[in-house]
Amino acid sequence: MSGVRGWLLLALTVGLAASISLAEITLVLLAAWLVFGPRPAVVPRAGWPLLGPLAAFAAWTLVAALASSRPAASLLAAKGLLTLGAFYVVLHALPDRAAARRFATGLFLAVSLVALLAIAQVGFCPAGGTVESGPLRLLFHKCTRARGFFSIYMTLAGVLTLVLVSALPRLARGGRSAVWALPGWLAGVLALGLTHARGAWLGFAVGAVASALMLRRRWLVLVALALVIAGTLAVEPGVLERLRTVGDLADDTTRDRLAMLDAGLRLVRAHPVTGVGPGEVKRLYPAWATEEALRRSTSHLHDTPLQIVVERGIPGLAAWIAIWVAFFARAARTLRRIPADDEESRGLVLGSMAAIAAFLVAGLFEYNFGDTEVLLVALALMALPFVVARDLATADADRVRSADGT
């Protein structure tokens, strides 16, 4: 039956890289297997880390939904809370550090293949920028910006950012594994550039630099990162042109985001405790948007903390922030417990922390917490430090038992 779990985890990595339907179906099957499948002779104690802040966030989301002007619609919009369960499914499905390493490697390989496909997608995109019919439509419909198999380039950018940053500490170790992994990682960086998603670029930069500063070869890694980014800009000049517009008030996207920020802050002042309710931004924004807003309708405000506080109020934002504070605190504690010579485990934990930091930074410019594909990858990577912590605790317990036996 361990073979069943292995195949399901393999399917999950493919789904996370390319298909939300496959990922969700696999998570359901994994959850069912964990509940109803046979129990191994030795069951590692997985526990339920982060349960307090996650439960508080979920509970206040329901309060905000019930307090909204359309409770039924808000409750339906809050169904995304079920996605958070993916964290526990992955945690319980990975029995030890070796399994976590294989899962992370499989996810990296799957995303690298999608990155290569995304590069071809942009490279062979027809002059009109899209294919409207025929067998090539799946790949070349709206192909001026890399999107892989996802419906929009922002989703691919979010997934690439998380996986590339999480893989960096293990790649920086060098050795034989880095030799075969480096081309895939470079393809991922180029594909990320071709998404032209500036928020994801900033998230990647912050996560990659933060990760590099924690590594022993930090200066070598930082120089290598600089060379990789410079090479990407040289290969695709359009990326540099897009980068120049970051913070430019004459840029239409920047002006529209500022209009969303203004409307969001006014909504918070009007509904500070329970917010307007999940899913209500789409209905309310046209009436609250200023004349400077270029789009008169939107379902989200392109800023995760702003979206959270508008929908759920200040208590909801506090609960959301508590999730990440608790995650980083627990992950840092695990990092300190890892033996100095166990670089593989350190790479898993550090990569997870850096990836979530990148996720949060990118979320300042995009509502990636509401992008199910990106959130599932983030939750899967979040589980890795807790798999390592559980494995360390099991090893310590075994040593104690062995010492008592002698």
Side-chain angles (χ1 to χ4, degrees):
M1 282 296 166
S2 60
V4 173
R5 178 174 56 191
W7 283 108
L8 287 173
L9 286 170
L10 177 61
L12 179 59
T13 61
V14 175
L16 291 175
S19 171
I20 180 62
S21 298
L22 178 59
E24 290 180 332
I25 291 171
T26 306
L27 283 167
V28 171
L29 292 175
L30 259 176
W33 186 89
L34 290 169
V35 173
F36 301 108
R39 293 288 185 270
V42 178
V43 182
R45 184 178 178 182
W48 299 89
L50 308 185
L51 183 58
L54 283 170
F57 176 73
W60 194 258
T61 296
L62 296 178
V63 169
L66 292 172
S68 74
S69 60
R70 299 192 307 162
S74 282
L75 285 172
L76 183 62
K79 65 182 185 298
L81 288 173
L82 296 173
T83 303
L84 299 177
F87 169 72
Y88 293 109
V89 174
V90 175
L91 171 61
H92 289 79
L94 297 173
D96 51 36
R97 282 173 282 184
R101 184 185 68 249
R102 290 192 296 269
F103 177 78
T105 301
L107 181 59
F108 171 77
L109 287 173
V111 169
S112 296
L113 291 174
V114 171
L116 288 171
L117 181 141
I119 293 170
Q121 186 176 58
V122 175
F124 293 100
C125 188
T130 188
V131 171
E132 295 296 344
S133 61
L136 296 179
R137 186 180 186 278
L138 175 64
L139 189 59
F140 292 105
H141 179 64
K142 295 183 179 179
C143 53
T144 55
R145 298 169 76 169
R147 61 177 178 83
F149 291 110
F150 299 113
S151 60
I152 190 170
Y153 52 86
M154 286 183 177
T155 298
L156 176 63
V159 170
L160 284 170
T161 295
L162 284 164
V163 175
L164 292 174
V165 170
S166 69
L168 184 59
R170 288 176 290 129
L171 191 68
R173 290 176 53 207
R176 186 178 302 175
S177 60
V179 173
W180 63 259
L182 182 59
W185 197 85
L186 294 175
V189 174
L190 178 56
L192 177 59
L194 293 174
T195 65
H196 288 213
R198 295 170 296 182
W201 293 349
L202 290 173
F204 170 80
V206 171
V209 171
S211 176
L213 291 175
M214 294 291 290
L215 299 172
R216 294 173 183 173
R217 303 174 182 177
R218 59 178 64 89
W219 297 115
L220 177 62
V221 176
L222 287 171
V223 170
L225 276 172
L227 292 174
V228 167
I229 293 172
T232 301
L233 295 175
V235 170
E236 180 50 48
V239 174
L240 180 59
E241 189 61 33
R242 179 73 172 164
L243 194 60
R244 285 174 179 160
T245 63
V246 173
D248 184 0
L249 295 180
D251 179 64
D252 286 346
T253 302
T254 301
R255 289 165 50 210
D256 202 32
R257 300 290 173 83
L258 289 175
M260 291 180 185
L261 176 63
D262 176 74
L265 292 177
R266 286 187 286 114
L267 281 167
V268 172
R269 286 194 291 269
H271 306 272
V273 180
T274 58
V276 300
E280 289 297 283
V281 168
K282 183 176 182 178
R283 183 177 66 88
L284 295 173
Y285 186 74
W288 287 75
T290 62
E291 293 181 357
E292 290 76 18
L294 301 182
R295 284 186 293 175
R296 309 303 302 180
S297 177
T298 182
S299 61
H300 59 82
L301 301 172
H302 285 275
D303 183 306
T304 297
L306 181 63
Q307 183 78 14
I308 296 292
V309 72
V310 167
E311 289 188 337
R312 297 161 172 86
I314 295 172
L317 178 62
W320 183 81
I321 292 173
I323 296 171
W324 312 111
V325 172
F327 165 75
F328 282 112
R330 293 283 299 271
R333 196 181 312 152
T334 299
L335 193 62
R336 290 192 294 268
R337 291 179 54 203
I338 298 173
D341 59 346
D342 190 355
E343 293 190 13
E344 188 66 45
S345 295
R346 287 183 62 83
L348 285 172
V349 175
L350 182 57
S352 172
M353 296 173 69
I356 298 306
F359 173 74
L360 295 175
V361 171
L364 297 175
F365 310 94
E366 173 59 36
Y367 183 40
N368 54 6
F369 190 79
D371 190 334
T372 304
E373 291 96 329
V374 179
L375 180 59
L376 283 176
V377 175
L379 292 168
L381 294 174
M382 278 177 66
L384 301 184
F386 298 96
V387 176
V388 173
R390 183 184 64 208
D391 216 16
L392 290 171
T394 301
D396 290 343
D398 289 342
R399 280 193 294 269
V400 171
R401 284 193 294 268
S402 177
D404 291 341
T406 57

